[in-house]
Amino acid sequence: MAVDKAADKANSMWGGRFADRPDAIMEEINASIGFDRRLASQDIRGSLAHAAMLASVGILSESDHRAVSQGLEEIGEEIERGAFVFRRDLEDIHMNIESRLREKIGDAAGRLHTARSRNDQVALDFRLWVKEQCAEAEAALGRLAAALLDQAEAGAALVMPGFTHLQVAQPVTWGHHMLAYVEMFRRDAARFADARARMDECPLGAAALAGTGFAIDRDMTAAALGFARPTANSIDSVSARDFALEFLSAASICATHLSRLSEEIVIWSSAQFAFITLSDKFTTGSSIMPQKKNPDAAELTRAKVGRIVGSLVTLMTVMKGLPLAYSKDMQEDKEPVFDAADALALALAAMTGMVADMRPNEARLREAAAQGFSTATDLADWLVRELGMPFRDAHHVTGTLVKMAEDRGCDLDALTLSDMQGVEPRITQAVFDVLSVEASVRSRVSYGGTAPVRVAEMVAMRRNEA
Ligand code: ARG
């Protein structure tokens, strides 16, 4: 859609006081229509609710109300059809729509702005938009969690290495590892829901900053626009952008989680790990190396955190030190939020697709799980449980046996009973029962632990809550 740069008058919206046209650079720095056109539907909804309220309290006549409503509906359709001409000389979405309304219905359009200012208008539009984005993010996170739960269910008993310091630590189950991400993404969704509940207050009616002398009904507009209540302080209503900061904070934490899972997918899909196979749908080939299958979607999802956290820092920095109430600085609030919301939606969708499509390589995972003396803790626990050894002593005995296996280049369960008894004579054949990776994960039945039975229970529990 073209933005018409030519202004015919000094300023069609407040020409009264202005004799001269703005400088071209002024127009360029001042105009927000290039991006705030994304708020068109919120702006029209807000104006429809405001007009209905003005009519209901007798400020707007019934015939003017009808003309305004019909005009606004038509403008909404024009915008949807792509037939609307956005004009940069009209600065922003609010004045573009009002000006078009005047073209369509004449002077009655001028009555719509009674008891309203662009300050409460933009605060409303932006809040409606961010609130919707919170709900979208919650839904997208629900879809991602569902994909992870499917993986967790299918791989509840599948053994893989658990890492600390990216060194093999203890065997865990694939399902348990998937559930770790389910927990993160559930908290992310809860953060968006919390933010959404806190921003569920309608700023319309604050007018420029002080409220209005007109007998408006703020409860009516709040209810019509789906808010729980009107905001309680008119100055705060037009000054606050912490609702957007909360959205960006929740988005930043979520993007951090997405980047961690992305990183694991990149590592797991490498030839060296070969823990998973990614589908062709989420990989690319190389223009020169025919053998390559690159995890581009995971890499890009890993990178999105950059622009999302960047957006948070941008808006934090814009808002810092701003005196009350509205300042034009706040027009810079929209682009970072739009960009972060788009990036997050894309990253969540890509991750959901990758998770649904990735296939764990069972044989390789099991083999890797057994490497690195991953059941050493199980051996130490056995010494404590069966021989009544203090854990520190058991740790020492186990360390000696690990060293022996390491020197021989074999796994712990390849040592013989007499090797073991050479270090601790009371060890019996039964110790071999805990040295397999399957026995190790089966034994970890504590609540929230990695045992297949616990994983299966947790999958069912999280599914029921969804
Ligand atoms: N385009 C403006 C913004 O995005 C709308 C509010 C303008 N208010 C004002 N007092 N100039 O912030």
Side-chain angles (χ1 to χ4, degrees):
M1 263 163 289
V3 171
D4 183 351
K5 291 183 189 173
D8 37 7
K9 313 194 194 94
N11 187 306
S12 50
M13 302 310 279
W14 51 68
R17 190 163 182 258
F18 286 75
D20 241 346
R21 290 201 41 200
D23 191 274
I25 292 295
M26 174 56 190
E27 199 175 282
E28 191 172 341
I29 194 171
N30 199 38
S32 54
I33 189 62
F35 48 88
D36 67 11
R37 62 173 74 176
R38 272 186 89 161
L39 299 176
S41 95
Q42 288 77 8
D43 197 70
I44 289 171
R45 267 186 277 151
S47 289
L48 285 169
H50 185 64
M53 182 278 291
L54 290 178
S56 117
V57 299
I59 296 173
L60 197 63
S61 73
E62 265 318 312
S63 63
D64 283 348
H65 177 214
R66 259 195 309 277
V68 164
S69 301
Q70 199 191 326
L72 286 170
E73 304 275 9
E74 286 171 17
I75 292 169
E77 283 158 26
E78 287 172 11
I79 292 174
E80 233 165 72
R81 278 206 317 274
F84 191 95
V85 180
F86 292 97
R87 282 174 46 183
R88 196 168 77 172
D89 62 299
L90 292 173
E91 262 191 57
D92 58 24
I93 187 63
H94 324 294
M95 297 205 292
N96 265 273
I97 290 175
E98 190 183 319
S99 162
R100 178 76 183 118
L101 188 62
R102 188 183 300 268
E103 282 172 13
K104 291 173 91 72
I105 68 167
D107 287 345
R111 298 188 187 280
L112 173 60
H113 215 50
T114 312
R116 186 175 77 167
S117 148
R118 275 191 297 157
N119 296 349
D120 58 343
Q121 197 177 353
V122 74
L124 168 69
D125 295 359
F126 197 34
R127 237 179 230 249
L128 281 171
W129 196 89
V130 174
K131 220 179 105 182
E132 286 159 22
Q133 288 301 309
C134 285
E136 296 269 328
E138 289 164 54
L141 281 161
R143 291 189 287 273
L144 174 53
L148 286 161
L149 285 169
D150 289 344
Q151 284 284 354
E153 183 175 41
L158 179 58
V159 187
M160 69 178 281
F163 296 91
T164 60
H165 316 266
L166 199 57
Q167 308 284 324
V168 172
Q170 293 172 343
V172 295
T173 48
W174 172 259
H176 196 220
H177 200 103
M178 295 296 112
L179 284 176
Y181 282 105
V182 170
E183 294 303 302
M184 289 180 240
F185 292 127
R186 276 168 49 82
R187 290 194 298 273
D188 288 337
R191 265 183 281 274
F192 283 112
D194 285 351
R196 190 160 53 87
R198 224 178 337 272
M199 71 181 76
D200 200 13
E201 297 186 339
C202 183
L204 195 62
L209 79 163
T212 175
F214 291 101
I216 59 172
D217 183 347
R218 294 196 57 207
D219 290 306
M220 182 178 168
T221 42
L225 291 163
F227 286 100
R229 65 191 83 83
T231 49
N233 180 294
S234 62
I235 298 174
D236 175 57
S237 308
V238 296
S239 314
R241 290 295 182 270
D242 51 296
F243 65 89
L245 290 172
E246 280 200 64
F247 170 75
L248 291 174
S249 308
S252 294
I253 297 173
C254 178
T256 307
H257 292 156
L258 287 170
S259 80
R260 295 182 76 170
L261 178 49
S262 302
E263 169 72 355
E264 298 215 281
I265 289 175
V266 170
I267 294 176
W268 292 345
S269 63
S270 69
Q272 289 72 17
F273 272 75
F275 282 6
I276 58 169
T277 309
L278 285 172
S279 84
D280 292 349
K281 286 194 250 168
F282 291 95
T283 48
T284 61
S286 156
S287 53
I288 175 168
M289 297 164 283
Q291 84 284 10
K292 294 268 283 195
K293 192 166 163 186
N294 295 325
D296 293 38
E299 294 167 89
L300 290 162
T301 303
R302 181 173 61 185
K304 291 292 181 200
V305 66
R307 57 205 298 160
I308 294 171
V309 174
S311 296
L312 173 63
V313 174
T314 300
L315 187 55
M316 286 271 195
T317 312
V318 166
M319 296 311 295
K320 181 204 163 291
L322 273 193
L324 304 185
Y326 178 86
S327 296
K328 198 61 172 270
D329 308 53
M330 289 159 73
Q331 179 164 287
E332 295 282 318
D333 58 0
K334 291 165 205 64
E335 284 170 292
V337 173
F338 292 160
D339 187 67
D342 291 343
L344 184 71
L346 192 53
L348 283 168
M351 183 55 84
T352 304
M354 280 187 284
V355 167
D357 273 14
M358 69 184 175
R359 289 290 155 253
N361 180 348
E362 299 197 18
R364 177 64 197 126
L365 285 167
R366 197 203 169 283
E367 175 194 22
Q371 281 165 359
F373 313 108
S374 67
T375 56
T377 317
D378 300 272
L379 173 53
D381 286 349
W382 186 90
L383 296 171
V384 169
R385 216 173 33 243
E386 302 301 324
L387 307 183
M389 261 189 200
F391 184 78
R392 277 291 150 236
D393 298 348
H395 187 284
H396 186 80
V397 168
T398 307
T400 311
L401 289 168
V402 165
K403 177 84 178 52
M404 184 186 289
E406 195 175 38
D407 290 344
R408 294 197 197 156
C410 71
D411 285 338
L412 268 180
D413 61 358
L415 294 175
T416 65
L417 183 57
S418 65
D419 290 336
M420 303 239 184
Q421 286 173 340
V423 177
E424 168 51 59
R426 289 177 294 160
I427 293 181
T428 66
Q429 185 64 34
V431 77
F432 289 96
D433 293 345
V434 302
L435 294 183
S436 78
V437 289
E438 283 77 13
S440 172
V441 296
R442 231 185 296 119
S443 74
R444 302 205 187 273
V445 289
S446 54
Y447 178 77
T450 203
V453 24
R454 289 290 97 88
V455 171
E457 281 168 10
M458 196 54 82
V459 169
M461 192 165 127
R462 290 305 184 221
R463 273 223 183 101
N464 279 340
E465 289 162 355

